[in-house]
Amino acid sequence: MLHIAFSKPLDLDKIRQDAAADRAPGHVMLDLAQRIPTTFHLPTPELSPTAADKLRAKIFPTAHLWAHARNILRQVPPTDTIYATGEDIGIPLATLARRMKSPPRICMFVHNLNRPRAKAAILLFKPLPTIHKFFTNADDQLGFLQVFHHLPKDRTILLPEQIDTTFFRPALSPQSSVLSAPLIVSVGLEQRDYKTLAAATHDLPVQVKISAYSKDARTLRESLPDPLPQNMTRQFYDWSALRELYHQATLIVVPLFENPYCAGLTAYLEAAACRKPVIITQTSGLNPILAFEAQVENACLTVPPQNPTALREAIQQLLADPARAAQLATKAHAVLHYCHTPAHFIDALLPHLADGGT
């Protein structure tokens, strides 16, 4: 039996229903559950952290996830496998499993272990030996595990990033509305550098629409210019409206701060699925992926981090050459369906889970 450990509460039934009704993308773990017997474990408000949980959470938050990990381990027999969807639940699971005589097999997806709190947790709690397989979509994270923690290659697996290519798809017909100016769309907040996008476009004859929302005022302050330029707007878009926004876009721009993981990749793939041309910042986390996408497959344009001049030139280049923009979009769409669908992700992951992670 496979057990999926989530770190955030999700309404999986609603996700399934909305995907079936074409109101929102599906969840790849629901697709995985169609291929192998699976139990889902989601955190609930009823969990009560212990004093030890609260103490550990001072190093690696949150206390609620330590309680969630303990609750999962009580339910899973040693013959089963747990797949942790991120290090936020994977590290607590592996740390607590170290004390068990016969723990279940633990596999973990890695988003960004190369950061202070995660490094401290690894040093203090020593969870890595308890984890049978590590999965990531970022070469930089793979290298961190192999070089700094001396993990063998057969325990570190690179997975393709994926998005729901049933929901994110090209418009059935050309957009009927005529834009008053070219529309540049940008999506997301993680490691986003909208100040550079504003500097590159504030005096261009374009509209810039940003889909980004966060309750974290610091994240908004770091990412967004204040005030927004007159040609830039930001608001929340639900899934259907977001897909429509992609369809209306002339260009998709993914402006990023330098970072060692795959921030921005999902937005790029969603745009590619909608067959839209993309300009994206080349970061160390994305470099191996974009080296293939941009240089080998000619599927997108890349620019250096925090370089408004380079970004402005890339935007002007594609606006002046619609045929080139269409070529990028067509190529990106083809590459996406070649290696970034949910089926590609599951096919790469499943053998390592079905064999117990050994």
Side-chain angles (χ1 to χ4, degrees):
M1 172 72 73
L2 174 65
H3 298 259
I4 307 295
F6 291 99
S7 60
K8 296 179 176 61
L10 297 171
D11 188 338
L12 294 174
D13 287 336
K14 186 176 188 305
I15 290 173
R16 188 185 291 108
Q17 293 166 9
D18 286 347
D22 196 34
R23 291 190 295 263
H27 199 296
V28 71
M29 291 296 107
L30 291 173
D31 294 341
L32 178 66
Q34 299 298 313
R35 305 267 295 270
I36 185 173
T38 301
T39 298
F40 297 117
H41 298 267
L42 298 117
T44 61
E46 294 77 24
L47 294 170
S48 299
T50 65
D53 294 333
K54 295 175 183 178
L55 184 61
R56 293 187 186 100
K58 293 182 182 295
I59 301 297
F60 195 74
T62 63
H64 196 74
L65 286 180
W66 286 94
H68 179 39
R70 183 181 300 100
N71 189 51
I72 293 171
L73 291 170
R74 289 194 190 106
Q75 302 175 52
V76 179
T79 54
D80 288 2
T81 296
I82 300 173
Y83 174 72
T85 54
E87 59 267 24
D88 49 358
I89 184 61
I91 286 178
L93 280 166
T95 300
L96 297 176
R98 290 183 67 233
R99 302 186 175 196
M100 301 174 66
K101 183 178 179 180
S102 299
R105 303 177 188 91
I106 297 174
C107 300
M108 182 176 81
F109 191 92
V110 171
H111 296 278
N112 184 19
L113 278 181
N114 192 10
R115 53 192 168 102
R117 281 190 178 271
K119 287 180 178 178
I122 291 170
L123 181 65
L124 183 62
F125 302 137
K126 297 178 172 54
L128 300 190
T130 317
I131 300 173
H132 288 250
K133 290 283 176 74
F134 298 81
F135 305 96
T136 184
N137 56 7
D139 288 76
D140 196 73
Q141 298 298 309
L142 208 67
F144 175 71
L145 290 167
Q146 292 173 356
V147 174
F148 289 94
H149 293 288
H150 311 291
L151 293 178
K153 291 184 177 180
D154 63 353
R155 288 181 62 200
T156 55
I157 313 299
L158 188 67
L159 296 178
E161 184 56 275
Q162 61 78 37
I163 54 105
D164 184 351
T165 48
T166 301
F167 181 79
F168 289 104
R169 59 185 187 267
L172 293 177
S173 59
Q175 297 297 293
S176 58
S177 60
V178 178
L179 298 174
S180 59
L183 174 59
I184 294 173
V185 167
S186 199
V187 174
L189 263 180
E190 186 179 25
Q191 295 292 333
R192 296 305 196 272
D193 178 16
Y194 292 123
K195 293 177 182 177
T196 292
L197 178 59
T201 59
H202 70 97
D203 59 348
L204 292 180
V206 298
Q207 300 177 58
V208 181
K209 292 187 179 182
I210 297 171
S211 173
Y213 172 78
S214 176
K215 295 180 180 179
D216 187 340
R218 179 180 176 182
T219 298
L220 293 173
R221 186 170 61 251
E222 291 176 348
S223 295
L224 293 164
D226 185 18
L228 295 178
Q230 289 187 344
N231 64 345
M232 179 180 283
T233 59
R234 178 184 71 91
Q235 69 180 73
F236 170 78
Y237 294 81
D238 66 21
W239 286 114
S240 295
L242 177 63
R243 182 173 61 188
E244 179 64 19
L245 185 64
Y246 278 127
H247 289 169
Q248 292 173 356
T250 309
L251 302 175
I252 309 297
V253 176
V254 188
L256 302 163
F257 295 112
E258 168 57 28
N259 70 88
Y261 54 104
C262 285
L265 182 55
T266 298
Y268 165 60
L269 295 178
E270 290 172 355
C274 293
R275 201 183 290 132
K276 291 294 176 173
V278 177
I279 300 168
I280 185 169
T281 306
Q282 183 109 26
T283 64
S284 58
L286 289 177
N287 184 59
I289 297 167
L290 295 182
F292 174 78
E293 302 278 341
Q295 298 173 22
V296 177
E297 292 293 339
N298 195 27
C300 61
L301 290 187
T302 62
V303 293
Q306 295 183 276
N307 190 322
T309 301
L311 180 55
R312 182 186 182 92
E313 290 175 354
I315 290 170
Q316 290 178 315
Q317 175 187 339
L318 292 187
L319 291 180
D321 191 348
R324 169 73 168 139
Q327 181 186 45
L328 290 176
T330 299
K331 192 63 175 178
H333 186 260
V335 172
L336 171 85
H337 282 272
Y338 179 74
C339 57
H340 290 299
T341 69
H344 290 113
F345 178 89
I346 293 171
D347 287 344
L349 173 64
L350 189 56
H352 301 283
L353 301 180
D355 68 4
T358 57

